[in-house]
Amino acid sequence: MFDKLEKVLMPMADKLGKNKVLLAIRDGFLITTPLIIVASLFLLFANFPITGWSEFWAGMFGEGWESWFTNVSRPVFEMVGFLSCFGTAYAYGRQLEGDAIQSAGIGMIAFLILTPTRIFFDGVPAVEGGDVAGGLSFLYLGSQGIFLGLFVSIIAVWLFNWVYRRGWTIKMPDGVPPAVSQSFEALIPSAVVMLLFFFIRIGFEFTPYETVHNFIYSVLQTPLKGAGNTLTAQLIYGVATTVFWFFGINGPAVANSVFGPITKVLTMENLEAFQNGTDLPNIFTDPFSNFFTNWGGGGSTLSLVIVMILFCNSKRIKQLGKLALVPGIFGINEPIIFGLPIVLNPIIIIPFILVPQVNLILSTIATNLGWIPYTTGVALPWTTPIGFSGYLSTGSLFAAVWQIGLLILGCAMYYPFIKILDKKYLEEEASAVAVEEEEISFDDISFDDL
Protein backbone atom coordinates (compact mmCIF):
# COMPACT_ATOMS: atom_id res chain seq x y z
CA MET A 1 0.00 0.00 0.00
CA PHE A 2 2.84 2.35 0.91
CA ASP A 3 4.49 1.70 -2.44
CA LYS A 4 1.29 2.64 -4.27
CA LEU A 5 0.84 5.78 -2.19
CA GLU A 6 4.46 6.72 -2.75
CA LYS A 7 4.04 6.32 -6.49
CA VAL A 8 1.08 8.72 -6.39
CA LEU A 9 2.36 11.28 -3.91
CA MET A 10 5.98 11.57 -4.90
CA PRO A 11 5.30 12.73 -8.49
CA MET A 12 2.61 15.08 -7.21
CA ALA A 13 4.93 16.62 -4.64
CA ASP A 14 7.69 16.80 -7.21
CA LYS A 15 5.47 18.69 -9.65
CA LEU A 16 4.15 21.06 -7.00
CA GLY A 17 7.64 21.59 -5.65
CA LYS A 18 8.97 22.53 -9.09
CA ASN A 19 6.03 24.60 -10.29
CA LYS A 20 7.43 28.08 -10.79
CA VAL A 21 4.14 29.87 -10.18
CA LEU A 22 3.48 28.12 -6.87
CA LEU A 23 7.08 28.62 -5.82
CA ALA A 24 6.80 32.32 -6.65
CA ILE A 25 3.61 32.68 -4.59
CA ARG A 26 5.20 30.87 -1.65
CA ASP A 27 8.42 32.88 -1.84
CA GLY A 28 6.50 36.09 -2.41
CA PHE A 29 4.68 35.66 0.89
CA LEU A 30 8.00 34.86 2.55
CA ILE A 31 9.36 38.20 1.34
CA THR A 32 6.53 40.02 3.13
CA THR A 33 6.61 37.84 6.25
CA PRO A 34 9.37 39.75 8.11
CA LEU A 35 7.44 42.99 7.68
CA ILE A 36 4.24 41.41 8.96
CA ILE A 37 5.94 39.86 11.99
CA VAL A 38 7.68 43.08 13.00
CA ALA A 39 4.48 45.08 12.46
CA SER A 40 2.61 42.52 14.55
CA LEU A 41 4.99 43.06 17.44
CA PHE A 42 4.28 46.80 17.31
CA LEU A 43 0.55 46.08 17.26
CA LEU A 44 0.90 43.57 20.08
CA PHE A 45 2.73 46.07 22.25
CA ALA A 46 0.00 48.64 21.66
CA ASN A 47 -2.67 46.10 22.61
CA PHE A 48 -0.87 43.79 25.03
CA PRO A 49 -3.45 41.50 26.66
CA ILE A 50 -2.87 42.54 30.28
CA THR A 51 -5.39 44.49 32.31
CA GLY A 52 -4.13 47.99 33.04
CA TRP A 53 -1.44 47.84 30.34
CA SER A 54 -2.84 50.74 28.33
CA GLU A 55 -3.52 52.84 31.44
CA PHE A 56 0.01 52.26 32.75
CA TRP A 57 1.67 53.61 29.61
CA ALA A 58 -0.93 56.35 29.26
CA GLY A 59 0.13 57.59 32.70
CA MET A 60 3.69 57.92 31.44
CA PHE A 61 3.22 59.16 27.88
CA GLY A 62 -0.34 60.48 27.81
CA GLU A 63 -3.51 59.36 26.06
CA GLY A 64 -3.15 58.12 22.51
CA TRP A 65 0.30 56.60 22.98
CA GLU A 66 -0.93 53.53 21.10
CA SER A 67 -1.00 55.50 17.85
CA TRP A 68 2.81 55.67 17.90
CA PHE A 69 2.89 51.90 17.46
CA THR A 70 -0.11 51.51 15.18
CA ASN A 71 1.46 54.08 12.85
CA VAL A 72 4.02 51.35 12.15
CA SER A 73 1.71 48.35 12.02
CA ARG A 74 -1.18 49.90 10.09
CA PRO A 75 0.72 50.71 6.86
CA VAL A 76 2.06 47.16 6.66
CA PHE A 77 -1.27 45.45 7.26
CA GLU A 78 -3.24 47.79 5.02
CA MET A 79 -0.73 47.34 2.21
CA VAL A 80 -0.49 43.55 2.46
CA GLY A 81 -2.17 42.96 -0.91
CA PHE A 82 0.20 45.38 -2.63
CA LEU A 83 3.18 43.87 -0.79
CA SER A 84 2.10 40.38 -1.87
CA CYS A 85 2.01 41.60 -5.47
CA PHE A 86 5.50 43.04 -5.13
CA GLY A 87 6.94 39.94 -3.43
CA THR A 88 5.36 37.49 -5.87
CA ALA A 89 6.41 39.53 -8.92
CA TYR A 90 9.97 39.67 -7.64
CA ALA A 91 10.04 35.94 -6.82
CA TYR A 92 8.46 34.96 -10.17
CA GLY A 93 10.95 37.07 -12.08
CA ARG A 94 13.69 35.25 -10.23
CA GLN A 95 12.09 31.89 -11.01
CA LEU A 96 12.03 32.78 -14.70
CA GLU A 97 15.70 33.77 -14.44
CA GLY A 98 14.82 37.28 -15.58
CA ASP A 99 15.46 40.67 -14.04
CA ALA A 100 13.79 40.36 -10.64
CA ILE A 101 13.79 44.09 -9.93
CA GLN A 102 12.23 44.93 -13.29
CA SER A 103 9.71 42.16 -12.71
CA ALA A 104 8.75 43.56 -9.30
CA GLY A 105 8.36 47.01 -10.82
CA ILE A 106 6.17 45.90 -13.70
CA GLY A 107 4.04 43.81 -11.32
CA MET A 108 3.39 46.77 -9.04
CA ILE A 109 2.56 49.11 -11.92
CA ALA A 110 0.16 46.59 -13.46
CA PHE A 111 -1.58 46.30 -10.08
CA LEU A 112 -1.85 50.07 -9.74
CA ILE A 113 -3.19 50.48 -13.29
CA LEU A 114 -6.14 48.31 -12.24
CA THR A 115 -6.61 50.13 -8.95
CA PRO A 116 -8.98 53.12 -8.64
CA THR A 117 -7.06 56.31 -8.03
CA ARG A 118 -9.96 58.43 -6.86
CA ILE A 119 -11.58 58.27 -3.45
CA PHE A 120 -15.24 59.22 -3.22
CA PHE A 121 -16.61 60.74 -0.05
CA ASP A 122 -20.24 60.32 0.79
CA GLY A 123 -21.51 63.81 1.51
CA VAL A 124 -18.21 65.06 2.90
CA PRO A 125 -16.25 67.39 0.61
CA ALA A 126 -12.74 66.02 0.33
CA VAL A 127 -11.37 69.10 -1.34
CA GLU A 128 -12.74 72.52 -1.74
CA GLY A 129 -15.51 72.48 -4.25
CA GLY A 130 -15.85 68.71 -4.62
CA ASP A 131 -16.38 65.35 -2.96
CA VAL A 132 -13.68 63.39 -4.76
CA ALA A 133 -9.98 63.21 -3.90
CA GLY A 134 -7.11 61.71 -5.80
CA GLY A 135 -5.43 58.82 -4.00
CA LEU A 136 -5.27 55.11 -3.41
CA SER A 137 -7.71 53.58 -0.99
CA PHE A 138 -6.34 51.03 1.47
CA LEU A 139 -9.53 49.10 0.67
CA TYR A 140 -7.87 47.88 -2.53
CA LEU A 141 -4.33 47.51 -1.21
CA GLY A 142 -4.99 45.41 1.90
CA SER A 143 -6.30 41.89 2.35
CA GLN A 144 -9.01 42.46 -0.26
CA GLY A 145 -6.28 42.89 -2.86
CA ILE A 146 -4.23 39.78 -2.08
CA PHE A 147 -5.67 37.48 -4.72
CA LEU A 148 -5.67 40.15 -7.41
CA GLY A 149 -2.07 40.98 -6.51
CA LEU A 150 -1.09 37.36 -7.05
CA PHE A 151 -2.83 37.09 -10.42
CA VAL A 152 -1.56 40.41 -11.69
CA SER A 153 2.03 39.78 -10.67
CA ILE A 154 2.13 36.35 -12.33
CA ILE A 155 0.53 37.53 -15.60
CA ALA A 156 2.53 40.75 -15.82
CA VAL A 157 5.89 39.16 -15.10
CA TRP A 158 5.27 36.23 -17.43
CA LEU A 159 4.28 38.57 -20.29
CA PHE A 160 7.20 40.90 -19.60
CA ASN A 161 9.71 38.06 -19.75
CA TRP A 162 8.00 36.44 -22.75
CA VAL A 163 8.32 39.65 -24.80
CA TYR A 164 11.86 40.14 -23.55
CA ARG A 165 12.96 36.63 -24.55
CA ARG A 166 11.42 37.10 -27.98
CA GLY A 167 13.97 39.80 -28.54
CA TRP A 168 11.36 42.53 -28.94
CA THR A 169 13.62 45.06 -27.34
CA ILE A 170 15.53 48.19 -28.26
CA LYS A 171 19.22 47.44 -28.58
CA MET A 172 21.61 50.26 -27.77
CA PRO A 173 25.00 50.53 -29.49
CA ASP A 174 28.17 49.37 -27.78
CA GLY A 175 29.63 51.89 -25.41
CA VAL A 176 26.30 52.80 -23.84
CA PRO A 177 26.42 52.23 -20.07
CA PRO A 178 24.78 48.91 -19.07
CA ALA A 179 22.18 50.59 -16.86
CA VAL A 180 21.02 52.78 -19.76
CA SER A 181 21.06 49.85 -22.19
CA GLN A 182 19.02 47.64 -19.83
CA SER A 183 16.43 50.33 -19.29
CA PHE A 184 15.88 50.66 -23.05
CA GLU A 185 15.71 46.89 -23.43
CA ALA A 186 12.86 46.85 -20.91
CA LEU A 187 10.96 49.60 -22.69
CA ILE A 188 8.93 47.54 -25.19
CA PRO A 189 8.19 44.64 -22.76
CA SER A 190 7.00 47.19 -20.20
CA ALA A 191 4.84 48.95 -22.77
CA VAL A 192 3.18 45.67 -23.79
CA VAL A 193 2.33 44.81 -20.18
CA MET A 194 1.02 48.28 -19.40
CA LEU A 195 -1.10 48.32 -22.56
CA LEU A 196 -2.64 44.97 -21.66
CA PHE A 197 -3.64 46.09 -18.18
CA PHE A 198 -4.81 49.44 -19.55
CA PHE A 199 -7.29 47.62 -21.80
CA ILE A 200 -8.30 45.29 -18.98
CA ARG A 201 -9.13 48.27 -16.80
CA ILE A 202 -11.11 49.96 -19.55
CA GLY A 203 -12.96 46.74 -20.26
CA PHE A 204 -14.05 46.22 -16.66
CA GLU A 205 -15.37 49.76 -16.41
CA PHE A 206 -18.13 48.68 -18.80
CA THR A 207 -19.15 45.73 -16.60
CA PRO A 208 -21.36 45.73 -13.48
CA TYR A 209 -18.23 45.09 -11.38
CA GLU A 210 -16.67 48.40 -12.57
CA THR A 211 -13.19 47.34 -11.35
CA VAL A 212 -11.09 44.18 -11.52
CA HIS A 213 -10.78 44.39 -7.73
CA ASN A 214 -14.53 44.02 -7.32
CA PHE A 215 -14.63 41.18 -9.85
CA ILE A 216 -11.83 39.13 -8.26
CA TYR A 217 -13.13 39.72 -4.76
CA SER A 218 -16.70 38.72 -5.66
CA VAL A 219 -16.06 35.87 -8.07
CA LEU A 220 -12.91 34.27 -6.72
CA GLN A 221 -11.64 35.52 -3.38
CA THR A 222 -14.89 35.32 -1.46
CA PRO A 223 -15.79 31.73 -2.57
CA LEU A 224 -12.24 30.47 -2.03
CA LYS A 225 -12.07 32.14 1.35
CA GLY A 226 -15.40 30.59 2.30
CA ALA A 227 -14.25 27.14 1.21
CA GLY A 228 -10.95 27.45 3.08
CA ASN A 229 -12.64 28.75 6.22
CA THR A 230 -14.20 25.37 6.98
CA LEU A 231 -13.23 22.49 9.23
CA THR A 232 -13.33 20.11 6.27
CA ALA A 233 -10.76 22.11 4.34
CA GLN A 234 -8.52 22.31 7.40
CA LEU A 235 -8.78 18.56 7.95
CA ILE A 236 -7.75 17.96 4.34
CA TYR A 237 -4.85 20.35 4.76
CA GLY A 238 -3.76 18.59 7.96
CA VAL A 239 -3.88 15.12 6.44
CA ALA A 240 -2.03 16.30 3.34
CA THR A 241 0.83 17.85 5.30
CA THR A 242 1.36 14.82 7.55
CA VAL A 243 1.09 12.29 4.72
CA PHE A 244 3.66 14.23 2.73
CA TRP A 245 5.95 14.23 5.77
CA PHE A 246 5.53 10.46 6.01
CA PHE A 247 7.17 10.17 2.62
CA GLY A 248 9.96 12.53 3.59
CA ILE A 249 8.47 15.55 1.83
CA ASN A 250 8.10 18.85 3.66
CA GLY A 251 4.31 18.80 3.85
CA PRO A 252 3.62 22.44 4.74
CA ALA A 253 5.99 23.62 2.00
CA VAL A 254 3.87 21.73 -0.54
CA ALA A 255 0.38 22.27 0.86
CA ASN A 256 0.90 25.95 1.73
CA SER A 257 1.48 26.79 -1.90
CA VAL A 258 -2.22 26.00 -2.35
CA PHE A 259 -3.73 26.84 1.06
CA GLY A 260 -1.37 29.71 1.97
CA PRO A 261 -3.11 32.53 0.04
CA ILE A 262 -6.49 31.55 1.53
CA THR A 263 -5.37 31.45 5.16
CA LYS A 264 -3.41 34.66 4.61
CA VAL A 265 -6.62 36.45 3.66
CA LEU A 266 -8.45 34.98 6.67
CA THR A 267 -5.62 36.09 8.96
CA MET A 268 -5.52 39.61 7.57
CA GLU A 269 -9.28 39.99 7.98
CA ASN A 270 -9.00 39.09 11.65
CA LEU A 271 -6.13 41.52 12.05
CA GLU A 272 -8.07 44.36 10.48
CA ALA A 273 -11.04 43.62 12.73
CA PHE A 274 -8.74 43.50 15.74
CA GLN A 275 -7.27 46.90 14.87
CA ASN A 276 -10.72 48.36 14.37
CA GLY A 277 -12.07 46.87 17.58
CA THR A 278 -14.78 44.88 15.81
CA ASP A 279 -15.72 41.18 16.07
CA LEU A 280 -13.10 38.80 14.70
CA PRO A 281 -14.65 36.95 11.73
CA ASN A 282 -12.52 33.81 11.13
CA ILE A 283 -11.41 30.78 13.11
CA PHE A 284 -8.98 29.14 10.70
CA THR A 285 -6.20 31.68 10.53
CA ASP A 286 -2.48 31.04 10.30
CA PRO A 287 -1.99 31.48 14.08
CA PHE A 288 -4.82 29.02 14.74
CA SER A 289 -3.19 26.46 12.46
CA ASN A 290 0.27 27.03 13.91
CA PHE A 291 -0.61 27.26 17.60
CA PHE A 292 -3.72 25.15 18.15
CA THR A 293 -3.12 22.08 16.01
CA ASN A 294 0.61 21.41 16.05
CA TRP A 295 3.22 21.65 18.79
CA GLY A 296 6.78 20.81 18.02
CA GLY A 297 6.24 20.82 14.26
CA GLY A 298 4.10 18.74 11.89
CA GLY A 299 2.33 15.87 13.60
CA SER A 300 2.41 17.78 16.91
CA THR A 301 5.55 15.81 17.75
CA LEU A 302 6.38 17.71 20.94
CA SER A 303 4.01 15.25 22.64
CA LEU A 304 5.96 12.39 21.08
CA VAL A 305 9.28 13.81 22.28
CA ILE A 306 8.02 14.09 25.85
CA VAL A 307 6.85 10.47 25.82
CA MET A 308 10.17 9.38 24.34
CA ILE A 309 12.06 11.02 27.21
CA LEU A 310 9.77 10.01 30.07
CA PHE A 311 8.52 6.54 29.18
CA CYS A 312 10.84 4.87 26.69
CA ASN A 313 13.71 2.57 27.64
CA SER A 314 15.54 2.24 24.37
CA LYS A 315 18.78 4.21 24.52
CA ARG A 316 18.33 5.27 20.93
CA ILE A 317 14.84 6.67 21.48
CA LYS A 318 15.58 8.28 24.83
CA GLN A 319 18.76 9.96 23.60
CA LEU A 320 17.06 11.17 20.45
CA GLY A 321 14.20 12.56 22.56
CA LYS A 322 16.62 14.56 24.71
CA LEU A 323 18.36 15.96 21.65
CA ALA A 324 15.04 16.83 19.99
CA LEU A 325 13.39 18.48 23.02
CA VAL A 326 14.75 22.02 22.67
CA PRO A 327 14.22 22.21 18.88
CA GLY A 328 10.77 20.72 19.43
CA ILE A 329 9.80 23.44 21.91
CA PHE A 330 10.46 25.93 19.12
CA GLY A 331 8.53 23.95 16.50
CA ILE A 332 11.43 22.20 14.78
CA ASN A 333 11.05 18.44 14.45
CA GLU A 334 13.36 17.34 11.65
CA PRO A 335 15.48 15.35 14.16
CA ILE A 336 12.40 13.27 14.96
CA ILE A 337 11.10 13.10 11.39
CA PHE A 338 14.34 11.65 10.06
CA GLY A 339 15.99 10.38 13.22
CA LEU A 340 13.31 8.21 14.83
CA PRO A 341 12.33 7.99 11.95
CA ILE A 342 8.75 8.98 11.18
CA VAL A 343 9.42 8.79 7.46
CA LEU A 344 7.99 5.52 6.12
CA ASN A 345 7.33 4.32 9.66
CA PRO A 346 3.99 2.45 9.57
CA ILE A 347 3.67 2.43 13.38
CA ILE A 348 4.12 6.13 14.13
CA ILE A 349 2.22 7.36 11.08
CA ILE A 350 -1.10 6.59 12.81
CA PRO A 351 -0.76 9.04 15.72
CA PHE A 352 1.29 11.36 13.52
CA ILE A 353 -1.83 11.92 11.42
CA LEU A 354 -4.42 11.62 14.19
CA VAL A 355 -2.98 13.90 16.89
CA PRO A 356 -3.10 17.15 14.84
CA GLN A 357 -6.56 16.24 13.59
CA VAL A 358 -7.83 15.72 17.13
CA ASN A 359 -6.22 19.00 18.19
CA LEU A 360 -7.88 20.75 15.25
CA ILE A 361 -11.34 19.35 15.94
CA LEU A 362 -11.24 19.98 19.69
CA SER A 363 -9.82 23.49 19.28
CA THR A 364 -12.50 24.30 16.70
CA ILE A 365 -15.20 23.11 19.09
CA ALA A 366 -13.64 25.08 21.96
CA THR A 367 -13.51 28.21 19.80
CA ASN A 368 -17.11 27.82 18.68
CA LEU A 369 -18.20 27.34 22.29
CA GLY A 370 -16.32 30.48 23.27
CA TRP A 371 -13.91 28.70 25.57
CA ILE A 372 -10.96 30.13 23.68
CA PRO A 373 -11.18 33.41 21.73
CA TYR A 374 -10.58 33.79 18.03
CA THR A 375 -6.97 34.50 17.13
CA THR A 376 -6.34 38.19 16.58
CA GLY A 377 -4.30 37.68 13.43
CA VAL A 378 -1.14 39.04 15.04
CA ALA A 379 1.69 37.29 13.20
CA LEU A 380 3.87 35.70 15.85
CA PRO A 381 6.89 33.72 14.68
CA TRP A 382 5.88 30.10 14.16
CA THR A 383 8.70 29.17 16.57
CA THR A 384 6.88 30.80 19.51
CA PRO A 385 6.73 28.12 22.26
CA ILE A 386 3.54 26.50 23.43
CA GLY A 387 1.74 28.44 26.15
CA PHE A 388 3.16 31.79 25.06
CA SER A 389 1.77 31.34 21.56
CA GLY A 390 -1.73 30.54 22.80
CA TYR A 391 -1.81 33.53 25.12
CA LEU A 392 -0.26 36.07 22.76
CA SER A 393 -2.32 35.03 19.73
CA THR A 394 -5.65 35.27 21.58
CA GLY A 395 -5.04 37.31 24.72
CA SER A 396 -6.51 34.49 26.78
CA LEU A 397 -4.72 32.63 29.57
CA PHE A 398 -7.17 29.78 29.15
CA ALA A 399 -5.95 29.36 25.57
CA ALA A 400 -2.46 28.70 26.96
CA VAL A 401 -3.87 26.17 29.43
CA TRP A 402 -5.86 24.61 26.58
CA GLN A 403 -2.65 24.10 24.63
CA ILE A 404 -1.04 22.32 27.56
CA GLY A 405 -4.11 20.09 27.91
CA LEU A 406 -3.95 19.08 24.27
CA LEU A 407 -0.21 18.51 24.59
CA ILE A 408 -0.91 15.98 27.35
CA LEU A 409 -3.67 14.37 25.30
CA GLY A 410 -1.19 14.04 22.44
CA CYS A 411 1.23 12.29 24.81
CA ALA A 412 -1.48 9.77 25.65
CA MET A 413 -2.19 9.16 21.97
CA TYR A 414 1.46 8.72 21.04
CA TYR A 415 2.25 6.50 24.06
CA PRO A 416 1.05 3.05 22.88
CA PHE A 417 2.61 3.45 19.44
CA ILE A 418 6.01 4.67 20.58
CA LYS A 419 6.10 1.86 23.16
CA ILE A 420 5.74 -0.66 20.32
CA LEU A 421 8.70 0.97 18.60
CA ASP A 422 10.54 1.15 21.91
CA LYS A 423 10.16 -2.59 22.40
CA LYS A 424 11.41 -3.25 18.89
CA TYR A 425 14.45 -1.02 19.35
CA LEU A 426 15.21 -2.60 22.72
CA GLU A 427 15.34 -6.01 21.07
CA GLU A 428 17.63 -4.65 18.37
CA GLU A 429 19.90 -3.06 20.97
CA ALA A 430 20.01 -6.30 22.97
CA SER A 431 20.87 -8.25 19.81
CA ALA A 432 23.58 -5.76 18.95
CA VAL A 433 25.12 -6.11 22.41
CA ALA A 434 25.05 -9.90 22.15
CA VAL A 435 26.73 -9.78 18.74
CA GLU A 436 29.34 -7.39 20.06
CA GLU A 437 30.10 -9.63 23.03
CA GLU A 438 30.27 -12.60 20.71
CA GLU A 439 32.72 -10.80 18.45
CA ILE A 440 35.17 -10.05 21.28
CA SER A 441 34.95 -13.48 22.91
CA PHE A 442 38.28 -15.35 23.03
CA ASP A 443 36.52 -18.65 23.74
CA ASP A 444 35.87 -19.20 20.06
CA ILE A 445 39.49 -18.84 19.10
CA SER A 446 41.19 -22.16 18.43
CA PHE A 447 44.45 -23.29 16.95
CA ASP A 448 42.51 -24.56 13.95
CA ASP A 449 41.36 -21.00 13.20
CA LEU A 450 44.95 -19.83 13.37
Side-chain angles (χ1 to χ4, degrees):
M1 183 181 74
F2 292 146
D3 291 340
K4 291 181 180 177
L5 278 174
E6 188 174 1
K7 286 180 181 177
V8 173
L9 291 176
M10 288 297 284
M12 184 191 306
D14 188 55
K15 284 187 178 178
L16 289 174
K18 292 181 178 177
N19 185 284
K20 293 181 178 179
V21 172
L22 295 179
L23 285 174
I25 292 173
R26 183 198 66 185
D27 294 345
F29 279 128
L30 290 177
I31 290 172
T32 64
T33 296
L35 299 175
I36 294 173
I37 290 178
V38 174
S40 292
L41 296 178
F42 275 83
L43 181 63
L44 188 62
F45 191 87
N47 300 273
F48 204 73
I50 291 180
T51 303
W53 174 266
S54 180
E55 291 75 11
F56 172 77
W57 291 108
M60 296 181 65
F61 301 112
E63 295 294 332
W65 64 273
E66 296 92 340
S67 63
W68 299 346
F69 294 84
T70 55
N71 285 337
V72 176
S73 61
R74 189 177 292 275
V76 174
F77 298 138
E78 295 192 345
M79 294 280 286
V80 69
F82 187 64
L83 291 172
S84 299
C85 176
F86 165 80
T88 304
Y90 180 89
Y92 193 45
R94 195 171 53 189
Q95 287 291 332
L96 296 178
E97 299 180 356
D99 189 326
I101 295 297
Q102 288 282 1
S103 298
I106 199 65
M108 288 192 300
I109 289 301
F111 183 86
L112 292 177
I113 288 174
L114 299 178
T115 304
T117 53
R118 291 185 300 168
I119 301 175
F120 294 87
F121 295 83
D122 186 13
V124 180
V127 294
E128 188 175 353
D131 56 359
V132 179
L136 292 168
S137 171
F138 284 133
L139 173 68
Y140 301 108
L141 306 179
S143 61
Q144 190 167 321
I146 288 179
F147 273 68
L148 179 63
L150 299 180
F151 279 108
V152 167
S153 58
I154 295 298
I155 295 171
V157 172
W158 180 86
L159 182 59
F160 178 85
N161 282 275
W162 184 81
V163 174
Y164 195 93
R165 294 183 197 286
R166 291 269 170 171
W168 299 345
T169 58
I170 297 176
K171 300 291 184 183
M172 300 300 289
D174 294 339
V176 175
V180 176
S181 179
Q182 290 170 4
S183 68
F184 273 87
E185 287 179 358
L187 198 152
I188 292 178
S190 300
V192 171
V193 174
M194 293 168 73
L195 273 173
L196 171 67
F197 284 93
F198 165 74
F199 287 121
I200 290 175
R201 171 165 182 152
I202 296 298
F204 270 92
E205 288 189 359
F206 291 98
T207 69
Y209 296 102
E210 296 183 349
T211 69
V212 185
H213 287 267
N214 293 337
F215 173 77
I216 291 290
Y217 187 75
S218 303
V219 174
L220 185 64
Q221 182 160 320
T222 300
L224 276 178
K225 186 185 69 177
N229 196 22
T230 62
L231 179 60
T232 302
Q234 296 302 314
L235 289 171
I236 293 172
Y237 168 79
V239 171
T241 55
T242 47
V243 170
F244 275 122
W245 266 129
F246 175 70
F247 289 99
I249 303 163
N250 189 323
V254 175
N256 283 345
S257 57
V258 178
F259 285 87
I262 298 172
T263 55
K264 184 69 70 180
V265 171
L266 298 174
T267 304
M268 287 297 111
E269 287 186 350
N270 272 29
L271 193 58
E272 289 173 3
F274 178 62
Q275 288 187 109
N276 297 328
T278 57
D279 292 338
L280 304 176
N282 305 311
I283 293 179
F284 302 111
T285 62
D286 286 333
F288 184 86
S289 177
N290 291 335
F291 304 137
F292 289 95
T293 61
N294 288 293
W295 296 280
S300 199
T301 51
L302 185 57
S303 298
L304 173 61
V305 171
I306 292 172
V307 175
M308 289 166 62
I309 296 173
L310 295 181
F311 301 106
C312 289
N313 298 314
S314 162
K315 292 179 182 177
R316 172 182 170 182
I317 291 180
K318 190 174 280 290
Q319 187 64 27
L320 179 63
K322 291 176 182 176
L323 292 172
L325 179 60
V326 173
I329 290 172
F330 294 97
I332 298 167
N333 66 346
E334 273 77 1
I336 296 295
I337 295 281
F338 299 104
L340 189 58
I342 290 173
V343 174
L344 296 179
N345 189 324
I347 299 173
I348 298 299
I349 184 60
I350 298 171
F352 188 72
I353 293 176
L354 287 180
V355 171
Q357 301 297 308
V358 171
N359 291 342
L360 171 62
I361 293 170
L362 293 179
S363 294
T364 302
I365 293 172
T367 305
N368 281 322
L369 291 175
W371 295 351
I372 56 177
Y374 284 30
T375 53
T376 58
V378 169
L380 299 170
W382 58 271
T383 51
T384 306
I386 184 173
F388 293 103
S389 58
Y391 175 65
L392 293 177
S393 62
T394 62
S396 166
L397 279 174
F398 183 77
V401 176
W402 177 263
Q403 286 182 306
I404 302 299
L406 290 183
L407 177 72
I408 296 171
L409 176 62
C411 291
M413 294 179 67
Y414 268 113
Y415 179 83
F417 296 93
I418 190 61
K419 287 300 287 182
I420 296 173
L421 201 62
D422 185 46
K423 183 179 179 182
K424 180 171 177 282
Y425 285 175
L426 275 174
E427 293 173 354
E428 291 177 359
E429 290 170 6
S431 300
V433 170
V435 170
E436 187 177 345
E437 290 176 350
E438 185 176 345
E439 287 178 346
I440 62 173
S441 174
F442 293 99
D443 296 337
D444 296 335
I445 299 176
S446 68
F447 288 107
D448 293 336
D449 296 327
L450 297 175

